[in-house]
């Protein structure tokens, strides 16, 4: 089974104070609307320019972080990609994925469960939950940010897909 994970904000950037969730406004030190140079400055030497930009539909990543530890699975390292809108060149999403993408189905489930457990602990219960055949999706909504955790089985191509995304909340209205 091949596992593909895009995650935008692994367990960072939001806190719960007196039972109230605080809006992360981005991921870690990256805030919505930042430019590539601003992201590089915010992360110091941790974030670097990618050798080649990575393209995602109407977005692109030219800045990233590699080899981040994942606390839920100590043997796994992650990479972050800061997605900028292709027109405005401003941050709209952060994707985080494993450095490697080959896992067993059981490993994929453990990865999803570790992410979910961490998010429930950090943010509380998800705002929205849905489940269909082969698909689970949970969303935590904040005024400026949507945090979405999904897992689905794409059986015809033997791909187990896990997605964790921190996205600029302003984009939700334009996407629906």
């Amino acid at each position: 089974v091949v596992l593909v994970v895009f995650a935008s904000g692994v367990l960072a950037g939001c806190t719960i104070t007196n039972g109230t969730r605080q809006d992360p406004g981005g991921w870690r030190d990256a805030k919505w609307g930042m430019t590539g140079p601003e992201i590089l400055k915010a992360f110091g030497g941790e974030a670097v320019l990618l050798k080649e930009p990575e393209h995602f539909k109407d977005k692109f990543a030219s800045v990233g972080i590699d080899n981040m530890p994942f606390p839920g699975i100590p043997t796994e390292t992650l990479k972050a990609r800061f997605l900028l809108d292709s027109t405005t060149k401003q941050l709209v999403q952060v994707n985080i994925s494993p450095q490697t993408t080959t896992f067993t189905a059981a490993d994929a489930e453990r990865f999803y469960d570790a992410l979910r457990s961490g998010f429930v602990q950090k943010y509380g219960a998800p705002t929205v939950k849905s489940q269909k055949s082969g698909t689970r999706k949970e969303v935590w909504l904040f005024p400026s940010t949507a945090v979405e955790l999904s897992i689905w089985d794409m059986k015809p191509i033997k791909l187990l897909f896990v997605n964790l995304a921190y996205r600029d909340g302003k984009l939700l209205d334009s996407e629906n």
Side-chain angles (χ1 to χ4, degrees):
V1 174
V2 175
L3 168 70
V4 178
V5 179
F6 292 107
S8 304
V10 174
L11 308 180
C14 181
T15 58
I16 298 175
T17 306
N18 298 328
T20 304
R21 297 188 281 191
Q22 293 181 339
D23 190 338
W27 177 72
R28 289 181 42 188
D29 292 330
K31 302 302 176 199
W32 307 131
M34 283 182 151
T35 62
E38 291 171 329
I39 294 165
L40 288 168
K41 183 177 179 182
F43 283 84
E46 186 180 12
V48 298
L49 281 175
L50 301 176
K51 290 180 184 174
E52 294 289 328
E54 297 174 11
H55 298 276
F56 304 81
K57 196 176 175 188
D58 58 348
K59 303 170 190 74
F60 70 95
S62 60
V63 175
I65 300 173
D66 287 327
N67 299 311
M68 297 184 308
F70 177 59
I73 303 176
T75 58
E76 188 58 53
T77 59
L78 306 171
K79 63 182 180 180
R81 296 298 181 254
F82 299 90
L83 276 63
L84 307 181
D85 179 275
S86 294
T87 304
T88 66
K89 312 291 190 270
Q90 294 180 323
L91 182 66
V92 294
Q93 185 169 325
V94 181
N95 284 348
I96 300 171
S97 60
Q99 292 293 137
T100 61
T101 56
T102 305
F103 290 92
T104 66
D107 286 341
E109 287 289 341
R110 276 195 298 278
F111 189 81
Y112 178 89
D113 291 342
L115 287 172
R116 185 189 188 288
S117 175
F119 273 91
V120 167
Q121 188 174 37
K122 191 162 194 79
Y123 302 134
T127 309
V128 178
K129 291 172 78 172
S130 67
Q131 186 164 353
K132 298 177 186 172
S133 178
T135 303
R136 284 178 281 155
K137 179 178 177 179
E138 298 175 84
V139 181
W140 289 261
L141 295 173
F142 300 91
S144 76
T145 304
V147 180
E148 182 179 299
L149 176 61
S150 308
I151 185 170
W152 62 95
D153 190 352
M154 301 172 76
K155 290 180 181 171
I157 56 174
K158 295 184 180 178
L159 180 71
L160 191 59
F161 189 84
V162 177
N163 182 58
L164 172 62
Y166 271 47
R167 299 185 309 163
D168 185 340
K170 292 184 291 191
L171 301 178
L172 295 178
D173 292 333
S174 65
E175 292 176 356
N176 295 325

